[in-house]
Amino acid sequence: MCMEEVKMRQIVYPIKDSVVLKQVQDTLLHNFNFGRRNYTIFQVGKATLLRVSDVLKLKYSDIFTEDGQIKHDAYIHDKKTGKANILYLKPVADDLKVYRKWLIDNDIHSEWLFPTTRNDKHVAERDLRDEVKDCIDSVTLVNPSFKDDPKSSLIIKLMDNTSLCIKDILKLTYEDIFDDLGQVKTDIHIKNSKTKEYDQINLSSIKDMLVTYSQWLKDNDIHSKWLFPDEQDRHINERNFYLIMQRVGDLLGINYLGTHSMRKTGAYRVYVQSGYNISLVMSLLNHSSQAMTLKYLGLDRESTENMLDKINFG
């Protein structure tokens, strides 16, 4: 059975019990390698009432300023309705601060707020373009156009102008080449993977190209400790998070968790703690009617049953 079929049959309810909510949060945080990410996804979804698809597509720059401060509001477009949406971030600010520190401590750099895995890796030799592989074994290296392929162009240039082998070139870090001010170093010392000794490499002959390449990285918002990063940088998708929530449900013996749990839980808590202000919740969810909101929260049936319990049918 595919995930879509399971989701259609599964009924997802808001988490009303605070004890159960704490158990879900703790499980998300402590039972996964990326627990801090998973927990923060849940907290952001619960506090903003965004659909899971919109939460997962948040970019780092949507939430944080250039100097790492949390924005007062985030401005996005709702994927389903296309409407502009303003996210008030104060309720989840503490969680976001902790999450940012976790990203920094784990050296995770991504344009996405919630990257799928640790994507910041250098290009592997097996992933090089065919024309680069051909040049590696050729006697005369023909440098591809920088405009068409900046990364391959610089790789070939390094092979043609230094004693470095392809394996060592691909493992170069940005700090190997550039100093703290972003200037190209005149000489670098790189450990040779074959001899295990350090080779002194002079970069004067390719300094201009290195400067141009550094600017290309900045212009394309590519941030990595590697000189040649693997750019397979994606955000976690809805299916990934669905499986995470299912795992949490399995661990806790709860059968009503899903990707909508965080949004429904946040909406339910606003509803109860605002004195049952259904109009407020309807507005936050971008629903067109109160009936739709009550049904979304599973309260339409609950309210009906509560009223029927008070009626004496004789």
Side-chain angles (χ1 to χ4, degrees):
M1 185 183 299
C2 68
M3 188 193 77
E4 287 73 17
E5 292 173 333
V6 173
K7 288 171 68 176
M8 287 178 63
R9 296 187 182 187
Q10 181 195 31
I11 299 177
V12 177
Y13 293 110
I15 304 169
K16 301 177 182 179
D17 189 317
S18 294
V19 173
V20 175
L21 176 58
K22 185 65 166 58
Q23 290 175 337
V24 169
Q25 291 168 322
D26 287 345
T27 303
L28 282 167
L29 185 59
H30 299 298
N31 288 73
F32 300 88
N33 290 333
F34 266 51
R36 177 57 62 180
R37 179 203 61 187
N38 299 342
Y39 170 84
T40 308
I41 290 172
F42 186 83
Q43 292 296 91
V44 169
K46 180 162 57 67
T48 62
L49 306 192
L50 282 178
R51 292 178 177 83
V52 63
S53 57
D54 291 321
V55 173
L56 301 182
K57 288 187 177 180
L58 286 171
K59 292 187 175 181
Y60 185 90
S61 59
D62 289 332
I63 305 300
F64 296 101
T65 62
E66 289 185 0
D67 60 353
Q69 300 300 309
I70 297 171
K71 296 180 179 180
H72 183 272
D73 298 307
Y75 300 89
I76 68 164
H77 275 82
D78 188 294
K79 179 183 175 183
K80 185 173 182 179
T81 66
K83 296 179 181 177
N85 200 343
I86 301 176
L87 310 180
Y88 182 51
L89 299 175
K90 186 177 179 180
V92 76
D94 288 343
D95 288 321
L96 287 169
K97 288 177 184 177
V98 174
Y99 179 62
R100 180 175 180 272
K101 184 178 185 303
W102 177 82
L103 289 173
I104 294 171
D105 291 345
N106 287 275
D107 199 24
I108 298 173
H109 306 281
S110 173
E111 70 170 311
W112 304 104
L113 184 61
F114 302 116
T116 178
T117 58
R118 187 163 180 167
N119 291 299
D120 191 15
K121 301 174 182 177
H122 63 75
V123 176
E125 191 169 347
R126 65 177 181 275
D127 297 324
L128 290 173
R129 291 170 52 139
D130 289 339
E131 52 267 41
V132 178
K133 293 178 182 177
D134 290 341
C135 286
I136 291 172
D137 297 324
S138 66
V139 176
T140 304
L141 300 183
V142 180
N143 205 354
S145 165
F146 183 89
K147 182 179 179 180
D148 294 335
D149 192 346
K151 194 177 296 183
S152 296
S153 178
L154 182 56
I155 290 172
I156 296 300
K157 199 73 172 179
L158 281 165
M159 291 185 65
D160 203 15
N161 289 269
T162 72
S163 60
L164 293 173
C165 68
I166 185 64
K167 182 177 180 180
D168 294 331
I169 288 173
L170 298 181
K171 289 186 177 181
L172 286 171
T173 66
Y174 191 86
E175 290 183 352
D176 287 334
I177 306 298
F178 300 93
D179 61 23
D180 293 340
L181 297 177
Q183 304 298 313
V184 178
K185 297 177 182 179
T186 302
D187 294 288
I188 61 174
H189 294 82
I190 302 298
K191 189 174 184 179
N192 189 304
S193 58
K194 293 181 179 179
T195 66
K196 307 302 180 185
E197 296 180 356
Y198 283 87
D199 293 341
Q200 180 173 324
I201 309 295
N202 185 278
L203 299 176
S204 300
S205 63
I206 56 172
K207 178 180 178 180
D208 290 344
M209 189 172 191
L210 287 166
V211 171
T212 305
Y213 180 73
S214 177
Q215 187 59 51
W216 175 79
L217 290 174
K218 292 175 184 176
D219 292 344
N220 287 274
D221 200 25
I222 299 173
H223 306 284
S224 173
K225 70 176 182 179
W226 303 105
L227 186 62
F228 302 111
D230 176 0
E231 295 170 55
Q232 298 302 310
D233 186 11
R234 299 185 176 91
H235 61 76
I236 179 175
N237 62 35
E238 193 171 345
R239 182 178 184 278
N240 296 146
F241 195 64
Y242 170 80
L243 294 174
I244 289 168
M245 293 304 296
Q246 286 293 291
R247 176 60 177 159
V248 171
D250 291 342
L251 290 170
L252 297 177
I254 301 173
N255 64 1
Y256 57 82
L257 297 182
T259 53
H260 286 273
S261 293
M262 55 190 183
R263 190 174 192 234
K264 289 191 175 187
T265 299
Y268 180 79
R269 293 177 80 80
V270 171
Y271 176 66
V272 173
Q273 295 177 41
S274 66
Y276 306 100
N277 187 339
I278 192 65
S279 296
L280 172 61
V281 180
M282 183 185 81
S283 174
L284 292 171
L285 291 173
N286 276 325
H287 283 172
S288 57
S289 70
Q290 293 186 6
M292 180 186 295
T293 301
L294 287 169
K295 184 175 181 180
Y296 182 77
L297 295 177
L299 296 173
D300 54 341
R301 183 62 187 171
E302 181 178 301
S303 299
T304 300
E305 290 176 354
N306 287 337
M307 286 187 285
L308 289 175
D309 288 343
K310 298 175 184 178
I311 297 175
N312 183 359
F313 287 97

